[in-house]
Amino acid sequence: MRNTNWVASATSKHFTYKAEANRPWKPETILELLEQAHQAFERLMGPGLDTVIEVEDRICEPSNLGARAEINKQIHSHQSYTIEVKFICEFPANYGHTEQEQDMAYHFFVHELFHCWIGGEVSTGDELIVEAITQYMTDWMLIHLGWCSEDLLIRGRIKSQQIIDTAIPLHTTIAKYKLLFHQMHTDDPENLLAFCKDLADCFRQQRSQEETDISSTLQRHLGTALEEN
């Protein structure tokens, strides 16, 4: 494994941030974004992980843009549970100078944070729904906090419809659910926020298990939309 030369780093209450390249944003900017999102998610879904999350902003080839969370679980008992999380966001060396690139970078950082509340490893193949609600709520939160403009959601809806029109497997399912969550938020925003809270409760209650069963929560909030999508 190569040794990484971190050119920038900073630490806040819940996060450490390390960047491998000079970015248009300062480390303190990312920490402010993450702390604001952390507080907002706690208001929405209850307490999150009681740990300092390490965020690594790495250099990648332009075609490899992405983000992931590496999780080290240490299960001591049903009452005591420790989890260590590292977010790895990979951007090209000069990434972030355009508004859309900056929006996407912010999305990656907050997207992985949202997964700390609703998880990622779910049973019965429901991971596409989890990914869809995470993508939608990440954009919503960025707009809610004032980090991105309303155009972010508009671009997201247009892209989702384009994906549906091209009929790409898996991506189409995520796109359909993202449009469903947009409609839910338009019709009854409190119901969508309650859905997120219930997913977080499922994850919290089953955190000592390898996979989380969210089937009852999905049926309660989505009903017939599960079969339609």
Side-chain angles (χ1 to χ4, degrees), residues 5 8 12 19 77-78 81 91 102-103 106 110 122 124 126 136 141 161 171 181 190 215 218-219 224:
N5 178 30
S12 64
S77 70
H78 290 295
Y81 183 83
F91 309 115
Q102 185 168 293
D103 288 353
Y106 290 170
V110 177
V122 295
T124 67
D126 294 325
Y136 180 80
M141 184 58 69
Q161 191 58 59
H171 294 287
F181 295 137
E190 291 303 318
S215 56
L218 295 181
Q219 192 62 47
T224 56

Side-chain angles (χ1 to χ4, degrees), residues 42-164:
E42 283 205 333
R43 288 194 295 270
L44 172 61
M45 297 180 290
L49 299 173
D50 186 19
T51 183
V52 175
I53 298 172
E54 187 172 284
V55 183
E56 294 185 356
D57 174 354
R58 293 183 173 273
I59 297 175
C60 70
E61 296 298 322
S63 60
N64 295 334
L65 181 71
R68 65 186 185 278
E70 293 185 353
I71 301 175
N72 177 28
K73 297 179 180 178
Q74 301 174 5
I75 303 173
H76 304 293
S77 70
H78 290 295
Q79 289 76 36
S80 177
Y81 183 83
T82 302
I83 183 168
E84 298 174 2
V85 181
K86 178 188 291 183
F87 298 162
I88 299 176
C89 297
E90 297 176 313
F91 309 115
N94 296 315
Y95 193 83
H97 287 280
T98 70
E99 182 180 357
Q100 289 195 21
E101 287 179 347
Q102 185 168 293
D103 288 353
M104 181 60 74
Y106 290 170
H107 178 99
F108 279 145
F109 290 124
V110 177
H111 178 108
E112 295 306 323
L113 180 60
F114 190 83
H115 274 302
C116 290
W117 269 266
I118 65 168
E121 297 296 326
V122 295
S123 57
T124 67
D126 294 325
E127 64 274 359
L128 296 182
I129 300 177
V130 169
E131 188 62 20
I133 189 62
T134 302
Q135 290 184 17
Y136 180 80
M137 287 303 298
T138 298
D139 285 350
W140 178 85
M141 184 58 69
L142 288 169
I143 293 169
H144 175 72
L145 293 175
W147 285 84
C148 296
S149 69
E150 291 280 352
D151 290 347
L152 186 63
L153 280 180
I154 296 172
R155 294 199 307 266
R157 290 198 298 274
I158 293 173
K159 184 177 180 180
S160 292
Q161 191 58 59
Q162 290 172 339
I163 291 173
I164 293 170

Side-chain angles (χ1 to χ4, degrees), residues 169-186:
L170 300 184
H171 294 287
T172 297
T173 301
I174 293 174
K176 287 181 178 180
Y177 274 110
K178 285 180 69 175
L179 292 179
L180 170 66
F181 295 137
H182 168 72
Q183 193 60 50
M184 286 177 63
H185 192 260
T186 300

Side-chain angles (χ1 to χ4, degrees), residues 157-219:
R157 290 198 298 274
I158 293 173
K159 184 177 180 180
S160 292
Q161 191 58 59
Q162 290 172 339
I163 291 173
I164 293 170
D165 292 341
T166 57
I168 303 173
L170 300 184
H171 294 287
T172 297
T173 301
I174 293 174
K176 287 181 178 180
Y177 274 110
K178 285 180 69 175
L179 292 179
L180 170 66
F181 295 137
H182 168 72
Q183 193 60 50
M184 286 177 63
H185 192 260
T186 300
D187 295 341
D188 187 357
E190 291 303 318
N191 183 41
L192 182 63
L193 300 183
F195 174 51
C196 294
K197 184 179 185 301
D198 285 351
L199 284 177
D201 287 343
C202 281
F203 184 58
R204 231 178 339 261
Q205 292 165 10
Q206 303 177 57
R207 193 170 278 169
S208 62
Q209 302 177 22
E210 288 297 319
E211 293 184 339
T212 305
D213 183 3
I214 61 174
S215 56
S216 61
T217 298
L218 295 181
Q219 192 62 47

